[in-house]
Amino acid sequence: MGNCFSQFKEKSSGSSKYNQKMITLYQDQIIDGYLEIQNNLELKSLDFIDNLKDLKDLEIHQCPNVIRCPKIQSKSITRVSFSFCKINNFRNIELENLEQISFCGNKKSNFRELIKFKTLKDLQIGFINVNINSISSMTYLKQLKLIQCQISNISVLSQFLMLEQLDLTFNPKIIVSQLSNLVQLTKLSLAYCQIQEISAFSTLINLKDLSLYKNNITNLTPLSKLIGLQKLYLGGNQVSDILVLRSLRNLQCLDISNNKITYISPLKELINLINLNISHNTITNIEPVKSHPHFNNYKINNQGIPTRQDILLSNIIKSFEMQISQSKHMKYGILSIRKGFDQQKRQINVLISAQCIQHEQFTTIVASLFESSNSVENCQ
């Protein structure tokens, strides 16, 4: 009996020393309430987190030996992010003021436990097979991201009447007609979803930002009623007729690259355009947009002849697409995507700084894959 008590005391003492060591290590790394812990293969326990002072925003990345959520009861933390860990439950988290929680590349697939966070406004999930019914009660959310979650029937989202931003990128089996009553949406991203028909979007009259990059869309007519749109990304579709776009006079950013467009006369009336990408089409005359005040910022390349920068950007995009498609079969494939993203983002930023390229294509594909702290803006 004495030996058992002695062993327990030694373990408790060892745990206490470990926690104190971690507190000392990470307390000084908190800047303006933000702490990021990443690439730590030795980290197994996060029980020290609750003892850190002035912590508001916590990110845990690429710590594959972290298998459970720490016991956190802090009232100051409003945002937590767990990416590429092995966390499978949230029972130990009691955060009264949590507003945003993010999971990417973890094992968790059932999120019913999140219902206890009544202050939650923003939920982000990526690269996890999600049972979408497990979040069906979270109708109070304002922002929701479900990136490559292998979802198809999204009818439960029709009850999310407070949603303002929704991102379902890389979910090719979804039925977009089930989104038609989410009229309060201001931002919607459905890139890489194999969409052909967009008639359901005609009711989403409050949209300001719409991304339909890399789908199979041919008819843009349903967009005619979305007169409040400021950003529209249609690159990589099958569009040939853009007449309907002339009614979208509030557009500031427009990407219609890699389509089948020949005539761009309807764009003449869109004088508020700051960024325009019409490259890789078969456009014969660019006169309609030459009078625009920001014409020098536009990416024209109307003959479809790739520049050196276009080739670099294309190779980066193809690299990501390949890694994403292979990630299902690679144990650490998703880690290489994250590492590659950080490296390629630096290359892109160098080119942008040198004013060599515009970056809508890159950011439309990649930015939504990771949390906003790792993303670059679509439109400067």
Side-chain angles (χ1 to χ4, degrees):
M1 182 73 175
N3 287 337
C4 290
F5 179 77
S6 177
Q7 290 176 4
F8 173 79
K9 188 174 181 180
E10 288 177 3
K11 288 183 179 180
S12 178
S13 176
S15 176
S16 178
K17 289 180 180 179
Y18 172 82
N19 285 341
Q20 189 57 51
K21 179 182 177 181
M22 293 296 101
I23 292 170
T24 302
L25 174 63
Y26 289 113
Q27 183 65 62
D28 292 339
Q29 296 185 28
I30 298 176
I31 301 176
D32 295 330
Y34 172 76
L35 173 64
E36 180 179 27
I37 302 174
Q38 63 175 342
N39 300 316
N40 191 333
L41 299 179
E42 297 180 358
L43 188 65
K44 295 181 180 180
S45 172
L46 296 172
D47 290 337
F48 63 91
I49 294 295
D50 212 29
N51 294 311
L52 295 175
K53 297 179 181 179
D54 303 318
L55 181 60
K56 297 179 181 179
D57 188 341
L58 172 66
E59 293 194 8
I60 309 292
H61 296 308
Q62 299 180 20
C63 299
N65 293 319
V66 175
I67 60 175
R68 66 179 180 86
C69 283
K71 185 176 181 180
I72 306 178
Q73 296 179 322
S74 171
K75 294 183 179 181
S76 64
I77 295 179
T78 59
R79 178 181 179 272
V80 293
S81 174
F82 298 101
S83 298
F84 317 117
C85 303
K86 296 180 181 178
I87 292 171
N88 56 17
N89 73 73
F90 315 103
R91 287 190 294 270
N92 292 328
I93 298 182
E94 298 292 341
L95 300 175
E96 294 182 9
N97 298 306
L98 186 65
E99 296 181 358
Q100 182 188 98
I101 190 165
S102 175
F103 300 90
C104 186
N106 300 314
K107 286 189 173 182
K108 187 68 182 178
S109 61
N110 190 316
F111 294 87
R112 294 188 189 280
E113 296 166 4
L114 295 179
I115 191 65
K116 65 182 178 181
F117 301 119
K118 299 300 182 181
T119 57
L120 196 64
K121 298 177 182 178
D122 186 346
L123 174 61
Q124 302 180 10
I125 305 172
F127 301 100
I128 305 173
N129 292 351
V130 173
N131 176 2
I132 196 169
N133 290 320
S134 65
I135 66 169
S136 60
S137 299
M138 303 177 69
T139 56
Y140 46 80
L141 288 175
K142 291 189 175 182
Q143 299 181 37
L144 176 62
K145 285 188 178 183
L146 299 172
I147 311 296
Q148 194 170 330
C149 291
Q150 301 297 314
I151 55 177
S152 54
N153 187 340
I154 54 175
S155 58
V156 297
L157 296 183
S158 64
Q159 304 301 316
F160 284 56
L161 300 181
M162 297 181 67
L163 264 187
E164 297 175 359
Q165 298 185 20
L166 176 62
D167 191 334
L168 299 176
T169 297
F170 284 109
N171 287 291
K173 296 181 180 180
I174 60 172
I175 304 171
V176 295
S177 61
Q178 295 172 338
L179 302 175
S180 61
N181 69 324
L182 299 182
V183 296
Q184 73 291 342
L185 282 177
T186 59
K187 184 175 183 178
L188 176 63
S189 180
L190 296 170
Y192 286 88
C193 288
Q194 298 183 11
I195 298 170
Q196 294 180 324
E197 174 60 47
I198 60 172
S199 58
F201 300 156
S202 63
T203 59
L204 307 182
I205 57 175
N206 290 309
L207 277 177
K208 294 183 178 180
D209 188 328
L210 176 60
S211 175
L212 297 171
Y213 191 85
K214 279 284 186 178
N215 283 288
N216 300 309
I217 299 166
T218 57
N219 183 10
L220 301 182
T221 303
L223 301 183
S224 63
K225 296 181 180 179
L226 308 185
I227 58 175
L229 273 179
Q230 297 176 4
K231 300 178 183 180
L232 177 59
Y233 303 97
L234 291 165
N237 281 280
Q238 304 294 319
V239 176
S240 58
D241 185 355
I242 60 170
L243 183 62
V244 67
L245 296 183
R246 67 181 180 180
S247 63
L248 307 182
R249 298 189 179 185
N250 289 308
L251 279 177
Q252 298 176 14
C253 298
L254 175 63
D255 183 349
I256 49 176
S257 61
N258 291 280
N259 278 281
K260 298 180 178 181
I261 299 166
T262 302
Y263 301 104
I264 60 170
S265 295
L267 302 184
K268 184 177 182 179
E269 300 178 41
L270 305 183
I271 59 174
N272 292 314
L273 282 176
I274 298 173
N275 284 313
L276 172 65
N277 188 347
I278 56 176
S279 62
H280 305 293
N281 284 286
T282 55
I283 298 167
T284 56
N285 182 10
I286 63 171
E287 289 297 324
V289 295
K290 272 192 172 182
S291 61
H292 286 190
H294 299 283
F295 174 75
N296 291 333
N297 294 335
Y298 295 171
K299 188 172 183 181
I300 305 296
N301 193 20
N302 61 309
Q303 298 303 318
I305 302 173
T307 65
R308 183 178 180 182
Q309 289 77 25
D310 290 328
I311 294 172
L312 173 61
L313 190 59
S314 177
N315 288 339
I316 290 172
I317 292 171
K318 288 178 181 177
S319 173
F320 274 107
E321 290 176 333
M322 182 175 295
Q323 289 182 71
I324 289 167
S325 66
Q326 292 177 347
S327 65
K328 298 177 183 177
H329 311 291
M330 297 168 57
K331 186 175 182 180
Y332 297 107
I334 195 66
L335 297 181
S336 66
I337 295 175
R338 176 60 180 265
K339 183 178 180 181
F341 172 75
D342 291 336
Q343 293 173 346
Q344 303 292 13
K345 187 174 70 173
R346 286 193 289 271
Q347 291 187 40
I348 290 293
N349 286 336
V350 169
L351 290 173
I352 292 169
S353 298
Q355 296 183 343
C356 294
I357 61 169
Q358 292 182 333
H359 57 302
E360 287 85 353
Q361 282 181 291
F362 176 77
T363 56
T364 301
I365 296 174
V366 179
S368 61
L369 301 184
F370 304 102
E371 297 76 39
S372 58
S373 62
N374 296 309
S375 302
V376 287
E377 291 295 325
N378 280 324
C379 183
Q380 291 180 327

